[in-house]
Amino acid sequence: NKGTGLFSMGSCKGEKLIESGPYLNFKGLYYKATEWPRFNDGDFSIDITTWRLDSLRMETQENRIKLLTEGRYGGQRFLNADGREYGFDRVSVRFEVTIYPDGRFTTAYQIYNPPAYLCCEAGIRYILSPEIKKYEFLRKALYSCYPEDHIGREKGTAWFYRADACEQELEETYRKPPVFPWSYDEKDFILRGCDDTVHGTNDFRASRENLIYACASSVQGVAGIAVYSDGTGLTLRMGLARDEDSYEGEEIAMNLNHVLYYDLGSGSLPARQGDMAWGNYTYAEKILQANYENTVEMYLRKK
């Protein structure tokens, strides 16, 4: 799309797989060690709907096409629980998508001026067809053996709908004991209330760290969108696009992250205080430097 610099469709074997992208996926916390050395409860994400194109250029080479896109995401301003204003100015990004004749394409991205706050996720996002309802995966797991329905397992198939995973309809109702594993929960009554709607199973929405391979497709599809990595540093996280930010619709967001951090408490700053200060250290905290860059390799392919 020459107006946005983004893809408006990606298909294989007659099946539509990609709706749009690439986008920047960036989630963070309003906490800056140099200015406010204690926990505060303000998280944020860059809203992909604020994307504006600055330039688009195409290069045709011997066996590939390269698309060079530059643009920006709008800045945001918020108040945290203490009444302090936090936010960031517009974020400028460069995407370089290289397309090969065998269905392979790489997406390199460069963030010129990342928000100067704790980064919880940084990577790229593609919006996939709403028909995408499962993905197969292989990754380097922490342990060598897991229960078959455990979200930390090394390999398997993650289903959006519990009925497809269990091959039968199983009711999920507030204040009724479930008859299926937690990994197949599609709702979150604690966070979203007793009338919550389906967001996809916990297994489908789980972050898959140290990814080696994943292929997302429809339930009966003959084609899929696949991701390849070396098992050291790429994390896949799938979910409804409308659960990410102000995007509307039933499309699926495929987030491919090179930075991952969950704030479960004191982290690397033991003096921090607040509701989550009881948690354990999980990952090193990270504030992205200017011109951060990375690359993802993907395929549109027959399954």
Side-chain angles (χ1 to χ4, degrees):
N1 185 319
K2 292 182 179 180
T4 64
L6 307 172
F7 290 115
S8 55
M9 186 181 73
S11 64
C12 181
K13 299 296 180 181
E15 292 188 15
K16 189 175 184 180
L17 301 171
I18 296 177
E19 292 280 348
S20 63
Y23 298 98
L24 175 65
N25 178 50
F26 190 103
K27 297 184 184 299
L29 290 172
Y30 291 125
Y31 159 76
K32 195 173 181 181
T34 57
E35 294 182 1
W36 187 235
R38 73 180 182 90
F39 180 80
N40 69 77
D41 49 355
D43 59 341
F44 71 95
S45 62
I46 289 179
D47 191 337
I48 66 170
T49 64
T50 66
W51 166 258
R52 297 295 181 269
L53 176 67
D54 289 328
S55 67
L56 174 63
R57 181 164 55 92
M58 183 180 72
E59 296 179 359
T60 304
Q61 301 174 352
E62 182 178 356
N63 67 337
R64 57 188 177 271
I65 295 173
K66 185 175 292 187
L67 300 172
L68 306 169
T69 305
E70 294 201 7
R72 62 193 186 279
Y73 293 93
Q76 294 173 276
R77 288 290 181 271
F78 298 96
L79 293 178
N80 74 348
D82 298 323
R84 287 176 172 266
E85 182 179 273
Y86 279 81
F88 55 90
D89 297 327
R90 70 182 189 183
V91 177
S92 298
V93 183
R94 180 178 188 266
F95 294 109
E96 183 177 299
V97 180
T98 306
I99 305 171
Y100 298 85
D102 60 354
R104 178 168 64 100
F105 62 104
T106 61
T107 305
Y109 63 99
Q110 183 177 11
I111 313 173
Y112 291 125
N113 58 331
Y117 298 99
L118 275 182
C119 179
C120 296
E121 290 186 14
I124 62 168
R125 179 184 306 167
Y126 277 95
I127 302 298
L128 307 186
S129 164
E131 297 301 315
I132 298 295
K133 291 296 183 257
K134 69 172 183 176
Y135 67 89
E136 302 161 359
F137 68 91
L138 174 66
R139 71 184 196 93
K140 289 184 179 179
L142 182 61
Y143 302 111
S144 59
C145 184
Y146 289 85
E148 289 185 3
D149 57 17
H150 197 287
I151 64 173
R153 64 193 184 280
E154 179 183 52
K155 60 183 178 180
T157 300
W159 299 85
F160 183 87
Y161 288 119
R162 178 174 58 252
D164 292 328
C166 300
E167 298 182 341
Q168 60 177 315
E169 292 287 348
L170 297 170
E171 185 181 16
E172 184 177 0
T173 307
Y174 183 60
R175 298 193 72 178
K176 281 192 176 182
V179 294
F180 46 81
W182 172 86
S183 58
Y184 293 151
D185 280 8
E186 296 174 341
K187 305 176 182 179
D188 195 321
F189 299 122
I190 301 300
L191 292 180
R192 296 186 171 98
C194 59
D195 296 323
D196 191 23
T197 57
V198 170
H199 301 273
T201 64
N202 288 332
D203 194 40
F204 187 87
R205 296 183 294 111
S207 289
R208 310 286 183 193
E209 295 181 73
N210 303 319
L211 190 71
I212 298 173
Y213 165 80
C215 184
S217 65
S218 63
V219 175
Q220 302 295 335
V222 299
I225 178 167
V227 184
Y228 291 85
S229 186
D230 62 1
T232 59
L234 184 65
T235 299
L236 168 68
R237 184 175 62 78
M238 302 276 281
L240 283 172
R242 58 178 166 83
D243 285 343
E244 299 284 339
D245 44 39
S246 60
Y247 188 94
E248 296 181 359
E250 298 302 310
E251 289 81 4
I252 300 296
M254 172 182 267
N255 296 292
L256 298 161
N257 296 312
H258 291 101
V259 177
L260 182 67
Y261 172 77
Y262 288 114
D263 188 83
L264 295 180
S266 57
S268 62
L269 202 76
R272 201 190 317 171
Q273 303 169 8
D275 291 341
M276 299 296 285
W278 47 263
N280 296 319
Y281 173 82
T282 52
Y283 304 89
E285 296 173 345
K286 188 168 186 177
I287 297 176
L288 294 193
Q289 301 302 307
N291 299 314
Y292 175 84
E293 56 186 350
N294 228 311
T295 304
V296 172
E297 179 184 50
M298 307 172 74
Y299 277 84
L300 296 179
R301 46 163 287 188
K302 182 178 179 180
K303 289 184 59 183

